[in-house]
């Protein structure tokens, strides 16, 4: 059993337990449930923004603890003030050290699109995402049969949420693309081996239809890489570990985004 299989098996047990403790009707009474969704598609592709989806995560299966001291409020506000287009908040506790409360906190302090980064296997989690203030959910092609992925995406749209599908190779992309998606992300880190290669993004970018917003994810540590990926056809970039490994993630994000602006012709006249 690889790490992804292990995570999905645990997630199914976790969701079954949560369903028994907090019924869907209760989730629908949340103060966030009727909030208007902030569009991830629009913010990522906005010409005056960086296209960066800045991620908050405390640990990962491949790296162990990344940053256990960072605070969601300070980090998320700092990310957005630095010029991020959106936030990604890990809500998986067992493997990534996150929680629903992390996303709720980010929602309280930021008006921007927020991606709930988790391993979605059930409609219940999508209702839950809406109830904690998320605007977009992640569906991982490697973890879901194509029909099931499309069903979950359609359900998310019924609630007004946007959908980011994540793929790791051509096979996943070909079998899982459907009209219920809004954004397609290419994860440069294999969830099976955790090896990272930006070649994954470059090999798939032209295979993603232009109707979808294209995101390159993971392994991005140099602002010049963003310039190159942008030229290659990507609209946005998901960056987490590169910021979170710093003692002050928000400062790392600020320095990174300023350097990106200097390198990118799109931001020559943009002041911070």
């Amino acid at each position: 059993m690889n790490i992804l299989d292990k995570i999905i098996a645990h997630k199914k047990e976790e969701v079954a337990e949560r369903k028994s403790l907090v019924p869907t009707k209760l989730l629908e009474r949340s103060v966030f449930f009727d909030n208007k969704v902030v569009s991830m598609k629009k913010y990522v592709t906005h010409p005056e923004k960086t296209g960066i989806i800045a991620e908050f995560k405390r640990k990962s299966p491949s790296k162990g603890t990344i940053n256990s001291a960072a605070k969601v409020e300070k980090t998320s506000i700092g990310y957005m003030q630095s010029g991020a287009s959106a936030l990604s908040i890990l809500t998986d506790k067992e493997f990534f050290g996150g929680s629903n409360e992390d996303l709720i906190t980010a929602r309280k302090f930021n008006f921007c699109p927020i991606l709930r980064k988790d391993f979605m296997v059930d409609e219940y989690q999508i209702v839950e995402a809406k109830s904690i203030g998320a605007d977009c959910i992640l569906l991982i092609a490697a973890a879901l049969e194509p029909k099931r992925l499309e069903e979950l995406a359609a359900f998310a749209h019924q609630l007004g949420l946007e959908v980011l599908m994540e793929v790791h190779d051509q096979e996943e992309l070909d079998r899982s693309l459907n009209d219920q998606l809004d954004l397609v992300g290419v994860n440069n880190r294999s969830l099976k081996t955790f090896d990272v290669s930006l070649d994954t993004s470059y090999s798939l970018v032209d295979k993603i239809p232009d109707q979808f917003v294209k995101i390159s994810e993971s392994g991005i540590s140099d602002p010049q890489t963003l310039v190159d990926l942008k030229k290659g056809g990507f609209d946005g970039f998901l960056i987490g570990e590169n910021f979170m490994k710093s003692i002050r993630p928000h400062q790392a994000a600020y320095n990174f985004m300023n350097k990106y602006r200097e390198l990118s012709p799109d931001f020559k006249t943009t002041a911070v």
Side-chain angles (χ1 to χ4, degrees):
M1 182 181 287
N2 62 43
I3 186 63
L4 179 59
D5 293 336
K6 184 178 179 182
I7 290 172
I8 294 302
H10 182 273
K11 189 60 59 176
K12 289 178 178 177
E13 293 178 2
E14 180 185 299
V15 171
E17 181 181 0
R18 287 219 296 270
K19 275 184 175 179
S20 67
L21 294 174
V22 185
T24 300
K25 291 294 183 185
L26 192 58
L27 294 176
E28 291 172 350
R29 294 179 195 161
S30 160
V31 294
F32 300 111
F33 198 80
D34 292 325
N35 281 6
K36 185 177 180 181
V37 168
V38 187
S39 175
M40 181 78 71
K41 289 188 296 185
K42 290 182 180 178
Y43 270 60
V44 167
T45 58
H46 194 288
E48 293 180 8
K49 296 184 181 295
T50 61
I52 292 173
I53 304 170
E55 187 162 273
F56 184 92
K57 67 177 177 182
R58 294 184 175 85
K59 67 177 185 178
S60 76
S62 61
K63 299 291 183 178
T65 299
I66 299 169
N67 191 331
S68 59
K71 303 299 182 186
V72 180
E73 177 184 345
K74 186 173 184 178
T75 302
S76 63
I77 291 173
Y79 280 166
M80 297 313 298
Q81 289 178 339
S82 297
S85 292
L87 296 169
S88 171
I89 307 294
L90 263 296
T91 57
D92 175 80
K93 182 177 181 180
E94 183 72 15
F95 299 92
F96 289 86
S99 69
N100 288 351
E101 287 69 31
D102 286 341
L103 199 149
I104 290 170
T105 298
R107 174 79 289 156
K108 287 178 178 176
F109 290 99
N110 299 277
F111 182 84
C112 66
I114 300 180
L115 170 70
R116 183 191 186 184
K117 187 84 172 286
D118 210 317
F119 297 81
M120 312 298 271
V121 295
D122 192 281
E123 283 83 356
Y124 179 86
Q125 293 167 285
I126 299 174
V127 177
E128 191 176 53
K130 192 77 163 64
S131 77
I132 60 177
D135 302 289
C136 186
I137 62 160
L138 176 73
L139 296 178
I140 301 173
L144 297 162
E145 289 298 321
K147 184 173 183 296
R148 184 62 178 141
L149 189 148
E150 187 171 2
E151 288 172 351
L152 291 173
F155 183 79
H157 277 175
Q158 289 174 21
L159 294 182
L161 297 168
E162 292 186 347
V163 179
L164 165 64
M165 180 181 76
E166 177 179 291
V167 301
H168 300 82
D169 56 40
Q170 179 81 53
E171 181 187 356
E172 290 176 9
L173 181 67
D174 290 343
R175 73 167 189 253
S176 301
L177 274 178
N178 66 78
D179 289 336
Q180 298 296 328
L181 308 173
D182 300 289
L183 311 94
V184 175
V186 178
N187 194 335
N188 301 305
R189 177 180 288 113
S190 167
L191 284 178
K192 295 177 180 177
T193 66
F194 287 104
D195 292 334
V196 177
S197 174
L198 288 169
D199 290 340
T200 307
S201 278
Y202 289 117
S203 67
L204 292 181
V205 64
D206 291 331
K207 308 293 196 310
I208 303 171
D210 289 338
Q211 74 188 82
F212 305 110
V213 174
K214 303 177 186 183
I215 308 294
S216 181
E217 308 173 9
S218 301
I220 301 171
S221 58
D222 184 346
Q224 181 61 49
T225 301
L226 262 66
V227 176
D228 297 338
L229 286 167
K230 186 84 170 177
K231 288 179 181 176
F234 281 96
D235 304 295
F237 324 94
L238 194 148
I239 305 175
E241 184 183 318
N242 189 57
F243 300 152
M244 290 300 298
K245 67 184 181 182
S246 168
I247 296 174
R248 302 175 69 206
H250 60 288
Q251 184 64 50
Y254 178 82
N255 295 341
F256 185 98
M257 291 184 215
N258 269 358
K259 185 63 176 177
Y260 173 49
R261 288 185 179 92
E262 291 174 10
L263 293 170
S264 174
D266 296 337
F267 293 103
K268 292 261 189 217
T269 60
T270 302
V272 179

